[in-house]
Amino acid sequence: MTAPRLTIRRPDDWHLHLRDGGMLKGVIGDTARDFARAIIMPNLVPPVVTTTDAKAYRDRILAALKPGDRFEPLMTLYLTEGTNPDDVEEGKKSGLITAVKLYPAGATTNSHGGVRNIDNAMPVLERMAKIGLPLCVHGEVTTPEVDIFDREAVFIETVLDPLRKRLPELKVTMEHVTTKDGIDYIKGSKANLAGSITTHHLIINRNAILVGGIRPHYYCLPVAKRESHRLALRAAAVSGDARFFLGTDSAPHVDPLKECACGCAGIYTSINTMSCLAHVFEEDGALDKLEAFTSLNGPAWYGLAANEETITLEKNVEPVSFPAKIETEAGPVTVFDPMFPLHWDVVR
Ligand code: DOR
Ligand code: ZN
């Protein structure tokens, strides 16, 4: 009997952390193997704030690729209250900048330079609306009074919805949606709003982090929510609805920085994302919608053509083995364990 196969357009990753230096060199191959393009997050230390920073970072990414790799990094700028609208417009015009990223100050890894008061970023947001440059949003408030599990819902109500009412022409990507509230908000919008969903949020709920001991390798931000939210994300992802697409948020940290008293947020999924997603979509009887989620909806939203190349996934009888960790010059990085055997793999 021949193994089941599925051929789809080559996927893209619409939210990826590649880091820099030894870590960049250690992880980029895992993305370039399966993905044609990725939106690269700008939360380096120091962050990628200007077009000049983005150009230099893009060059470092391209230099880290191996000969023969075909991968295009799509660059973003880290929005600050001092971002210059002219620089942003220049970046878009030159083709270098695909989006601008809003991190509310303090929301996550390296976000202390992010936006405290969105009013101060209005001039640049207005310019982005005018020139059609999308805003990628880390949609969580950081107010100490707000429970961490409610941060996304409160952000929608107090920041995102008012912003979209004030600037309806601004294209907003709500990144790594983790709640039913987020899914419903996107579904209820008429235009200019879409959402990315990570691999891990389709697979884990908050029990993975907390039941039977604290498991730092399942900790990320936005933190995984209760099961009903995961099911809402699954339903949206497998529905084929063009407003939802893959953004892995693969975010490598070396193990010592995860396995400690105050561990970093981030889950490394670049290496096994396509295997995990094929499993998820098959489980939900929606393998025919996988291509929309990984390869069609994202480019359509960002105004780009879908990739012409294809990849083929094959379902093996024996489980596929991925390394538990990858070694990088920066140190070991634990690979996301979906807690079920993976049978699908990309044919290489
Ligand atoms: O889990 C996360 N890790 N969420 C983010 O928003 C940032 C990321 C990182 O850079 O490590
Ligand atoms: Zn991220």
Side-chain angles (χ1 to χ4, degrees), residues 17 19 43 108-109 138 176 220-221 249 251 253 265-266:
H17 298 267
R19 317 297 191 203
N43 63 332
T108 187
T109 312
H138 182 112
H176 43 52
C220 64
L221 288 169
D249 198 9
H253 291 278

Side-chain angles (χ1 to χ4, degrees), residues 108-109 148 214-217 219 221 253-266:
T108 187
T109 312
I148 191 164
I214 188 151
R215 296 175 201 277
H217 295 293
Y219 173 62
L221 288 169
H253 291 278
V254 292
D255 284 349
L257 294 181
K258 295 278 298 172
E259 299 167 0
C260 57
C262 182
C264 295

Side-chain angles (χ1 to χ4, degrees), residues 128-146:
M128 287 164 59
K130 190 165 154 223
I131 63 178
L133 185 63
L135 179 71
C136 290
V137 167
H138 182 112
E140 291 194 288
V141 292
T142 54
T143 339
E145 300 76 54
V146 177

